[in-house]
Amino acid sequence: MKTPSPQPLRPDPRLFNEDLAPAPERKWGTYSIFALWMSDTHAISNYAFAASLFVLGLPAWEVFLALLVGISIVYWLMNRMGHAGHRTGVPYPVLARASWGVYGANIPALLRAIMAVAWYGIQTWLASTAVVLLTLQIAPGLEAYHHNSVLGLSTLGWIAFLLMWGLQAVLLTRGMEFIRKVQDFATGPVVWLVVLALAVYLVVKAGGDISLTRSLNGLSGSEQVEQSLIAVSLTVATFLTLVLNYADFARFTPDHRSYRRGNLIGLPVNFTAFAVVAVLVTAGTIAVFGEAIYDPVKVIQKIDNPVVTVIGALSFIVATIGINVVANFVSPAYDFANLAPKHLDFKRGGMITAVLAVVVMPWKLYSSALVIQYFLGALGAFLGPLVAILLVDYYRVRRGRIDVDALFSADARGAYYYRRGYNPKAVIAFLPAAAVAAALALVPAFGVVAPFSWIFGMALAGGLYALVCRGDRVASDAGPIPEDIIPSQVRTAAGEEPGIARGSGVAAAPVPVEGS
């Protein structure tokens, strides 16, 4: 007599909806991952960072070398996190359940979400300032509406901010597949065209008389080394937010080559090339305007051509939307959905993000050095420890052996239930590491090592977690870390359970096991 196959484990409705379940479709190929990084790296902040290093006094070749080293470290980290995201097919807050517990994962998820909400609001407001610039260029008569103040914004400022808020809300609540299509053809490539045009214009205007080899401020050799090391560290620190939640994107890739090649082209290659152009434009402003201008919006204003101003403003509006999608929207949408999956899906989590981004009045956040340095700075210091715990758990403790179905089980006997749904070992590793990293980042006495605080936090958290979990490690003779997609039956099981919440994903279907 044939033995009947076991029934799939039904996911707990407190932990499951279709948006949090393993990805049913995997359409993010190499170009989509590359476009993802174009959307993120082509931000005004990244442009200004590269340009400011040149203005600070580093020769151009040292700027490129420092940024290449930093982004190569980011590339390595992204591939490590991408491996876990691709194989499990689940977003970051669900993946974090393996190390933090099925309920404990809300701790790192909320820390990431709070930071993302703040920066989502700030980026939306920054984009709205470009809208104001564009509006006044087209209709100077509206200047009168730009001098009053309602809760810190002028009437024109409020209209521009709410316009940008509404446009993003429409775009971002259409789901991940729609986001992929928009970034593939709009937010990624458009800024490249504008900054390349700026570079060509300035080189021609300067008659080719642009130097990329001399130091503008004559820094000594030791000062150049110091600034280069800081540049390497800050480059990595800037991307730690996305390292943490990279599973949100890698889960949609069809094979390992897709995210690895997309990461290679989009990070070391594209990021460094963008830095080259940023420095070239900045050097061009010295030759043409007699001063170093490392804000591309101000460069466009200097050209004093209405057509250039309109095109430039539109491009940077699109760029800001791109970075908001990648860095500040997708993650909190999943993070909030993870709080109450039965009631919140990706779209509702995204709307919570968008609403909170207005409530925090981001123009006031951005104008407060205290908030930026101490509140957001302290949260940023937590990122290194969170990344370390996730990676040490996946690579050293479990060696890639994740039971995906158990990530959705609230059974007290489940693999990731630990103690009432929380893993005390993750907390033990995180708290002292986060405290050390925050102290190094914020206490003036440690100013010399502040740019490197994430390294100390990551090393301490990773070491502590490996130590307290030494008895839980998968035996080394279990073989290498697997490459295949981990099979899961939670979607099939959820289809048999009438009480399970439905998300905004496409039709549920089991994901076939495939290699790379």
Side-chain angles (χ1 to χ4, degrees), residues 86-446:
H86 168 75
R87 291 190 62 239
T88 60
V90 297
Y92 158 65
V94 177
L95 181 62
R97 293 173 185 174
S99 50
W100 284 84
V102 291
Y103 299 134
N106 284 319
I107 297 173
L110 279 178
L111 289 173
R112 175 68 178 94
I114 292 170
M115 179 178 293
V117 165
W119 283 111
Y120 180 83
I122 289 170
Q123 291 286 359
T124 301
W125 171 67
L126 289 175
S128 74
T129 62
V131 174
V132 171
L133 172 67
L134 179 62
T135 302
L136 294 178
Q137 182 70 50
I138 297 173
L142 295 176
E143 179 72 34
Y145 297 96
H146 192 42
H147 296 293
N148 63 326
S149 177
V150 180
L151 296 177
L153 278 186
S154 67
T155 300
L156 189 58
W158 267 108
I159 293 172
F161 178 74
L162 292 176
L163 175 64
M164 286 303 304
W165 185 91
L167 285 174
Q168 290 182 118
V170 171
L171 165 67
L172 300 175
T173 54
R174 294 290 300 276
M176 286 295 290
E177 182 58 19
F178 184 76
I179 288 173
R180 181 185 69 84
K181 292 176 180 178
V182 170
Q183 70 162 30
D184 280 2
F185 301 106
T187 60
V190 67
V191 178
W192 252 129
L193 298 177
V194 173
V195 295
L196 283 174
L198 276 178
V200 171
Y201 170 82
L202 291 170
V203 169
V204 172
K205 196 78 172 175
D209 184 23
I210 294 177
S211 174
L212 296 178
T213 57
R214 70 173 184 268
S215 169
L216 294 184
N217 294 329
L219 292 179
S220 66
S222 61
E223 290 173 328
Q224 290 182 19
V225 171
E226 179 186 358
Q227 292 302 323
S228 294
L229 290 175
I230 291 174
V232 170
S233 182
L234 291 180
T235 300
V236 180
T238 300
F239 282 88
L240 280 180
T241 52
L242 279 164
V243 171
L244 189 62
N245 71 285
Y246 187 51
D248 293 345
F249 304 98
R251 64 189 294 239
F252 295 111
T253 56
D255 50 53
H256 290 287
R257 287 173 294 182
S258 295
Y259 69 80
R260 287 170 182 163
R261 290 177 179 176
N263 289 347
L264 177 63
I265 303 170
L267 291 171
V269 176
N270 176 70
F271 180 81
T272 307
F274 190 70
V276 169
V277 176
V279 171
L280 186 64
V281 171
T282 306
T285 63
I286 298 173
V288 175
F289 303 120
E291 60 176 323
I293 305 172
Y294 49 88
D295 183 340
V297 176
K298 291 182 178 178
V299 176
I300 290 172
Q301 287 178 303
K302 275 280 188 179
I303 295 175
D304 196 24
N305 181 303
V307 176
V308 173
T309 301
V310 170
I311 294 174
L314 286 174
S315 68
F316 289 117
I317 289 169
V318 171
T320 304
I321 292 175
I323 191 172
N324 245 2
V325 171
V326 173
N328 303 319
F329 179 84
V330 171
S331 176
Y334 281 127
D335 294 338
F336 287 128
N338 193 64
L339 282 175
K342 190 174 182 178
H343 306 288
L344 299 177
D345 58 12
F346 180 83
K347 291 181 180 180
R348 291 170 181 168
M351 286 310 301
I352 291 174
T353 301
V355 170
L356 290 177
V358 179
V359 173
V360 299
M361 291 192 289
W363 50 92
K364 291 186 178 291
L365 287 181
Y366 195 72
S367 63
S368 170
L370 190 66
V371 171
I372 294 294
Q373 181 178 357
Y374 289 100
F375 176 63
L376 295 180
L379 286 175
F382 297 162
L383 294 175
L386 293 177
V387 168
I389 290 171
L390 209 62
L391 291 179
V392 169
D393 183 78
Y394 181 78
Y395 284 97
R396 184 174 176 82
V397 178
R398 305 186 190 284
R399 296 188 58 79
R401 275 71 176 178
I402 300 288
D403 183 346
V404 172
D405 290 347
L407 294 172
F408 299 92
S409 171
D411 190 317
R413 297 165 297 177
Y416 310 118
Y417 191 78
Y418 300 111
R419 187 176 300 173
R420 297 184 180 179
Y422 294 81
N423 183 8
K425 295 179 180 179
V427 177
I428 290 170
F430 173 73
L431 288 180
V436 168
L440 293 178
L442 302 176
V443 177
F446 301 122

Side-chain angles (χ1 to χ4, degrees), residues 472-489:
D472 304 326
R473 290 183 59 188
V474 171
S476 57
D477 58 3
I481 295 173
E483 295 284 310
D484 57 304
I485 292 175
I486 301 172
S488 169
Q489 299 186 74

Side-chain angles (χ1 to χ4, degrees), residues 42-124:
H42 295 175
I44 294 175
S45 56
N46 287 329
Y47 175 104
F49 178 51
S52 65
L53 293 174
F54 178 64
V55 174
L56 184 66
L58 286 181
W61 71 269
E62 285 194 37
V63 174
F64 305 148
L65 180 60
L67 295 181
L68 178 60
V69 172
I71 205 66
S72 295
I73 296 172
V74 172
Y75 165 69
W76 184 86
L77 289 170
M78 290 295 180
N79 281 349
R80 303 286 78 73
M81 199 67 79
H83 191 281
H86 168 75
R87 291 190 62 239
T88 60
V90 297
Y92 158 65
V94 177
L95 181 62
R97 293 173 185 174
S99 50
W100 284 84
V102 291
Y103 299 134
N106 284 319
I107 297 173
L110 279 178
L111 289 173
R112 175 68 178 94
I114 292 170
M115 179 178 293
V117 165
W119 283 111
Y120 180 83
I122 289 170
Q123 291 286 359
T124 301

